[in-house]
Amino acid sequence: MEELHLAIRFSCTSFASMLLTYTQPLLPKMHYVRPFNIMQLDILRHQAVSIMATRLGEPPLRKEVIEYISDMDSHLWSMRKSKANFFRLMSLFSGLFAVGKWFGDVCTWRNPITTVLIHILFFMLICFPELRLPTLFLYMFLIGLWNFRYRPRYPPHMNNKISQADAVLPDELDEEYDTFPTTKGADLVRMRYNRLRSVAGRIQTVVSDVPTLGERIQALLSWRDPRATVIFIIFCLMAAVVLYVTSFQVMAALAGIYALRNPRFHRKLPSVPVNFFRRLPARTDSML
């Protein structure tokens, strides 16, 4: 159960050549002109692991260790890896969630000074559209400078917390190291199968929401619900006429004022567009 850390430091003779490397493809040209299919990649991966296991046989190193280091069975189910990837996904979108929470506080006037400043910035971007992209890139530049003080000081090592290895259960670890097909008893396989069904059921619910959203968007113009399609195309015609006779800056300003309106003008019920969208049909109505 001990850990062995191997640190390798690379140096370059030409800084310009190193920067040019970032613009070049990772693989040779033929890998993009005539790429391998999934089966060929799997065969090559197995052959590479077999060669590595043969070369590392002296001193003795079991083939299972080489396969695990090479992520040969990364496509197989692992409760630990699923938890780790889930928390990686949550960490990735945590910034967006924080921005959404901050914008919600701005819209509810949690801090009136901040909301007034956002109004001023918004109207500046509306009145001077040439400042939108420069402001965006300048903002990202300032964020990069601010994060310089929090830059990593040491090379990244294996992280047990990110890998969920510090909180893994013995049964989950035994399932991860189990062979394929399994060699365990029927009762243990039944328990793991029921646990997998429970986890996959929650994933299935989340995944089903994505096509439902897309099918409702398609239903706007597919005449699946004739009344909803008529309402939408009439709205599109009216919107085209209004946007033709009204400048974009005015419409954007009105939309911003509506989004940042005072909480006393908010409704506790869902808005009209949300109610209309949720009533659109989806193919879940036709599924068994």
Side-chain angles (χ1 to χ4, degrees):
M1 301 300 293
E2 296 181 357
E3 295 182 358
L4 178 64
H5 294 279
L6 177 63
I8 302 176
R9 182 174 181 176
F10 296 92
S11 61
C12 63
T13 58
S14 175
F15 185 73
S17 299
M18 184 186 65
L19 295 180
L20 184 61
T21 306
Y22 283 89
T23 64
Q24 298 175 352
L26 294 174
L27 301 175
K29 180 180 179 181
M30 290 303 296
H31 285 270
Y32 301 97
V33 176
R34 300 183 62 183
F36 293 108
N37 55 38
I38 298 179
M39 185 176 297
Q40 291 173 334
L41 289 175
D42 193 51
I43 294 174
L44 290 176
R45 186 179 293 109
H46 279 78
Q47 292 178 353
V49 170
S50 300
I51 294 173
M52 292 176 58
T54 304
R55 295 292 182 88
L56 298 177
E58 296 292 339
L61 193 62
R62 296 184 61 178
K63 185 178 180 181
E64 291 82 359
V65 178
I66 305 298
E67 292 178 352
Y68 186 81
I69 295 176
S70 304
D71 287 337
M72 181 178 175
D73 297 329
S74 59
H75 60 285
L76 298 180
W77 166 257
S78 172
M79 182 70 73
R80 178 189 63 83
K81 292 182 180 179
S82 300
K83 292 180 180 178
N85 291 327
F86 173 76
F87 286 112
R88 283 177 58 199
L89 190 65
M90 295 300 296
S91 176
L92 177 64
F93 289 104
S94 61
L96 295 178
F97 296 152
V99 172
K101 183 178 181 301
W102 171 81
F103 185 74
D105 294 340
V106 170
C107 294
T108 55
W109 292 67
R110 183 70 59 86
N111 189 344
I113 299 177
T114 303
T115 304
V116 172
L117 292 177
I118 293 299
H119 275 82
I120 296 174
L121 177 62
F122 176 74
F123 284 113
M124 286 180 58
L125 296 178
I126 291 297
C127 297
F128 304 98
E130 64 275 4
L131 297 179
R132 296 170 188 171
L133 289 179
T135 303
L136 175 63
F137 286 105
L138 180 61
Y139 182 67
M140 290 190 291
F141 171 76
L142 295 177
I143 291 178
L145 288 182
W146 178 263
N147 291 335
F148 179 77
R149 55 190 294 187
Y150 305 109
R151 68 189 186 279
R153 302 285 182 173
Y154 303 99
H157 298 292
M158 302 302 294
N159 194 320
N160 294 333
K161 185 176 182 181
I162 295 178
S163 305
Q164 296 295 313
D166 56 343
V168 62
L169 299 177
D171 181 69
E172 296 177 358
L173 199 61
D174 182 66
E175 181 184 15
E176 183 175 346
Y177 286 111
D178 192 10
T179 58
F180 185 83
T182 181
T183 57
K184 303 299 180 180
D187 295 336
L188 184 59
V189 173
R190 184 181 297 109
M191 185 272 294
R192 292 176 178 174
Y193 174 70
N194 292 330
R195 182 178 61 190
L196 178 61
R197 290 182 63 187
S198 176
V199 174
R202 292 192 291 269
I203 298 175
Q204 175 181 278
T205 303
V206 176
V207 171
S208 65
D209 293 338
V210 177
T212 300
L213 178 64
E215 289 167 359
R216 285 177 175 172
I217 295 176
Q218 291 179 346
L220 290 172
L221 297 173
S222 64
W223 293 89
R224 175 77 181 276
D225 187 346
R227 292 174 293 274
T229 304
V230 169
I231 294 174
F232 181 72
I233 61 176
I234 292 176
F235 167 78
C236 291
L237 179 62
M238 296 174 59
V241 174
V242 172
L243 292 175
Y244 180 76
V245 299
T246 309
S247 63
F248 176 78
Q249 287 82 358
V250 174
M251 297 303 300
L254 293 177
I257 293 175
Y258 178 78
L260 299 174
R261 64 191 185 278
N262 195 277
R264 69 183 65 181
F265 300 109
H266 288 188
R267 295 179 56 192
K268 295 183 179 180
L269 297 178
S271 61
V272 175
V274 173
N275 295 330
F276 176 77
F277 186 77
R278 288 179 178 176
R279 290 181 179 275
L280 292 174
R283 292 188 177 181
T284 52
D285 304 333
S286 305
M287 294 180 61
L288 296 176

